[in-house]
Each structure stands twice: as structure tokens, then as C-alpha cells.
Amino acid sequence: MTVHNLYIFDRNGNCLYYNEWNRKKQAGISKEEEYKLMYGMLFSIRSFVSKMSPLDMKDGFLSFHTSKYRLHYYETPSGLKFVMNTDLSVSNARETLQHIYSNLYVEYIVKNPVCVLGQSLDSELFSSRLDAFIRALPYYSPRAA
Amino acid sequence: MVIYSVYVVNKAGGLIYQYDNYVPRAEAEKTFSYPLDLILKHHDEKVIVSFGQRDGIRVGHAVLSINGVDVMGKSTAEGKDILEYLKDPSNYPVSIRFGRARLSSNEKLMLASMFHSLFAIGSQLSPEVGSSGIEMLETDVFKLHCYQTLTGIKFIVLADPRQSGIDALLRKIYEIYSDFALKNPFYSLEMPIRCELFDQNLKSSLEVAEKAGNFGAGS
């Protein structure tokens, strides 16, 4: 039971924040390229889902899983995208992501007069609180190598 | 508990089979008087609602028919441009039917290839070693399940989120594919599947899976 990594993207596709906790395999490309690929994949998945869907959707794309990991997705109405990769035992992390948005992002970034929205989040307080929050999650456990 | 559709994609990413088992038609027909309170725009050879969601007409819905006559793309059946037609007060009151636009074959081909690429990217971006591609994609109204065989063929099923037993169904579809498409001497590999027995057996196994899914999720 573990969280691998977390990305936060803004509405233009810029990666505002990235952190990893238990990542075993790097993507083999530079971090910038990986952010762009991740954002591009999510953008395409959203467009794919809106065309494929047999009925009108309310929340849209929620998550996907492969044989080894699960990707959870949460998008705010302002276009901010929260993406979290966990292992397969975590079935629903939507509330976690909503909590990260409303209790961490809004509190420590939006309400911070020094932080410029749209640029990389470099608030120490935000990073440390987010890290503490993730480590405190019931499904997080630092995996033994 | 429904299974909406089945897609089969070959190893190059091309769609070789597609079957729509259940297509829910959520449509709304209303009579309007001048001026029209919805904002319509051209998108992809269709006229869709861009603003003015109300009464079952959602943003993204396409104009399906005007005064009972089905439209053809951006123009009415007589060939007049729809937006021009609706700007003319003398054509009112007019009855327009809106609904989700049905996917054309070309769009299905493009979507299947798009998923083929997304499947591969899902595997590449994996934080764990040895991950497969996307096996299940979940939204609030449907779940997309994908099974990739060792030969690279992908069987994709779109179903209701509560439907169970889809993994067994995907294996069964693979079995039907190998029995009625691969063993057919007139079928060429990686080409579109046009085998009647494949269609028939696929339909019956979908019915079985829907019924079995009902028992499973009933408790």
C-alpha cells in the first residue's frame, strides 16, 4: 500500500509541482519531457472519454489502472489538475486529492500573497505539509526495498 | 447493468472490429420561437450547443433533426446551412431535436488508434517496473476494460461501472476471436473481421455476461 508520486498541473499544461515517495522506475526521459508527456496523456484521455462516453458525464475521467499501478485524477473547475500514482490497493483517492486542493493548495498557495499563481510552487510550507499529509495517509507505507 | 460496446484493435493500432451492443439515446426535442436562446457553433462537421444548457439540452449536444427531418452535418436535409436557417425569423417556430452525436466510423477508427497510443504511454510512465498498459479506465458513467493478448491484439469493452465479470468476458471474446476469426481460412490477420459466426457468438456471450453481471452485482 503506497503512494508513488504526485503531479500538479495548471490549466496551461505547466507542471507546478511534482514529488515522489516510492518510485521504483524512472521514465527514461528528462523530467520536463515526462511532465509534458503526462499532461498530454491526460489531455488526450479526457478528450477520448468525452467522445467515447455513451452518456453525458458529470465528473469525467476519474482514474485508470494497469497491472502495477493506479493513476488517480482530479480536476478543479479552474483547470488545476491533480494526478496521483498509487499501487493497486488504493481504489479511490478522489477525496484525498480534493483535500490536497482545498486544505493545502488553497490554504498555502492561493492565500499566500508571495506565491504567483501559474508558476512553480516553491512554498516550503506547502511542500512540508503535503509531504506530512501523504505520509499520514492510511494507505501509505514506505515500502522496504 | 449494460455492456455498451466492444472494440478490437490490431497490433498496429488499427480498429478491426466494432460492435455497439447498447446505445443509450438521450435526446430532447423542443419547439423554439425567435430568437433562439441557445448559442450554437460549428464543430467537426456538426452543429453543437456551445452555451445555454437547459431542460435536457446539454453543452456538447448536437442538432439531430429540425422539424422532424434529420440534418446532414452542418446543413439541413434540403442543403441549407443550419445556422443561417436559424437566424431567419420567418422559419420560426421551429422544432429542434438535440442529443449526443453518434460516432461516425471514422471517429471510431481515430478513437481506437488514440487508445492504442494511450495504452502504450500508460506503460511508459509507470512508476513501477514491468507494468502493462492501461487495463481499466474509469469515469463516472462507464468503465473501459482492455485486454492485450501476447500477439498484441487488444480487446476493449465499454461497460456500466457496476458491471462485473468483464475480465472473464474479455478472455471469452479472445476465445471467440481465435475460434471464428483465426480459424477461418478466408480471414487475413490484422484485417477487419467480417465473420458471421464471430458476430453471432460475440452477441450471445455479451448477453450471457450481462445476465451474469446482474446476479453478481445484485447483492
Side-chain angles (χ1 to χ4, degrees):
Chain A
M1 295 261 270
T2 183
V3 176
H4 296 297
N5 50 13
L6 174 78
Y7 301 76
I8 302 181
F9 294 99
D10 75 354
R11 61 193 307 165
N12 298 320
N14 304 316
C15 183
L16 302 176
Y17 183 80
Y18 170 76
N19 202 355
E20 59 189 40
W21 287 270
N22 257 333
R23 186 170 188 169
K24 304 280 167 49
K25 168 185 164 287
Q26 299 300 324
I29 48 180
S30 76
K31 275 285 175 261
E32 271 70 42
E33 283 181 21
E34 185 188 315
Y35 300 150
K36 285 189 214 164
L37 190 59
M38 175 61 80
Y39 184 81
M41 179 180 76
L42 292 168
F43 187 86
S44 304
I45 288 181
R46 280 180 51 230
S47 149
F48 172 79
V49 154
S50 73
K51 290 213 115 149
M52 271 292 223
S53 174
L55 302 163
D56 294 313
M57 298 192 301
K58 198 168 68 70
D59 292 325
F61 167 57
L62 298 172
S63 72
F64 74 70
H65 80 74
T66 74
S67 59
K68 297 274 179 182
Y69 75 98
R70 196 178 209 115
L71 181 143
H72 305 265
Y73 178 79
Y74 173 63
E75 185 178 355
T76 71
S78 53
L80 210 61
K81 299 167 180 55
F82 292 83
V83 185
M84 184 158 75
N85 290 334
T86 68
D87 70 353
L88 294 173
S89 53
V90 183
S91 60
N92 193 330
R94 199 168 169 79
E95 276 160 27
T96 308
L97 292 173
Q98 277 173 331
H99 184 274
I100 294 177
Y101 172 63
S102 51
N103 296 35
L104 294 172
Y105 180 82
V106 170
E107 293 299 316
Y108 298 115
I109 304 289
V110 179
K111 292 185 180 175
N112 184 339
V114 178
C115 281
V116 181
L117 296 181
Q119 281 177 11
S120 272
L121 313 178
D122 53 19
S123 158
E124 278 282 343
L125 193 56
F126 174 75
S127 300
S128 58
R129 288 288 156 92
L130 178 61
D131 194 60
F133 174 71
I134 296 283
R135 287 182 199 275
L137 284 171
Y139 46 78
Y140 178 84
S141 65
R143 199 111 51 96
Chain B
M1 296 305 153
V2 216
I3 294 174
Y4 295 112
S5 38
V6 176
Y7 292 72
V8 181
V9 179
N10 68 15
K11 63 171 179 271
L15 185 65
I16 57 176
Y17 185 77
Q18 198 279 321
Y19 174 61
D20 284 325
N21 188 37
Y22 175 73
V23 184
R25 292 280 104 210
E27 289 163 0
E29 181 147 23
K30 287 210 127 32
T31 312
F32 297 92
S33 53
Y34 189 80
L36 197 61
D37 56 355
L38 304 164
I39 307 216
L40 303 175
K41 65 169 185 181
H42 283 281
H43 180 73
D44 269 359
E45 293 305 312
K46 291 187 286 266
V47 176
I48 66 168
V49 177
S50 112
F51 186 79
Q53 188 159 302
R54 65 158 173 128
D55 282 345
I57 303 172
R58 308 255 320 239
V59 170
H61 277 195
V63 173
L64 298 176
S65 76
I66 295 186
N67 289 331
V69 180
D70 284 342
V71 304
M72 295 202 302
K74 293 193 284 207
S75 31
T76 64
E78 287 101 46
K80 286 198 286 268
D81 183 65
I82 293 179
L83 294 179
E84 293 299 318
Y85 183 84
L86 291 174
K87 283 201 184 82
D88 189 353
S90 61
N91 291 322
Y92 286 79
V94 68
S95 157
I96 315 179
R97 186 153 51 95
F98 292 93
R100 276 192 77 83
R102 208 161 296 210
L103 290 171
S104 68
S105 325
N106 263 350
E107 287 178 326
K108 287 180 186 165
L109 274 160
M110 288 195 285
L111 289 172
S113 306
M114 196 191 263
F115 183 74
H116 172 84
S117 310
L118 294 171
F119 182 93
I121 298 176
S123 148
Q124 188 185 5
L125 286 175
S126 165
E128 285 259 33
V129 183
S131 169
S132 73
I134 298 177
E135 289 186 345
M136 198 276 296
L137 192 138
E138 180 170 5
T139 73
D140 52 347
V141 294
F142 73 94
K143 263 191 189 169
L144 181 148
H145 302 254
C146 178
Y147 170 55
Q148 181 176 51
T149 70
L150 292 164
T151 50
I153 306 276
K154 288 193 238 323
F155 296 96
I156 298 164
V157 169
L158 261 77
D160 187 285
R162 294 154 299 168
Q163 180 81 31
S164 56
I166 300 286
D167 283 335
L169 174 66
L170 285 167
R171 305 283 181 284
K172 182 86 180 119
I173 298 178
Y174 185 28
E175 209 182 290
I176 295 172
Y177 167 75
S178 76
D179 281 339
F180 300 105
L182 295 182
K183 293 180 187 172
N184 182 338
F186 299 111
Y187 172 67
S188 330
L189 226 53
E190 315 291 328
M191 288 287 121
I193 301 173
R194 304 235 183 287
C195 314
E196 246 190 71
L197 286 175
F198 178 79
D199 295 334
Q200 285 169 11
N201 280 274
L202 180 68
K203 285 186 186 101
S204 53
S205 69
L206 287 179
E207 278 169 27
V208 167
E210 278 181 331
K211 288 202 191 72
N214 277 334
F215 288 137
S219 52

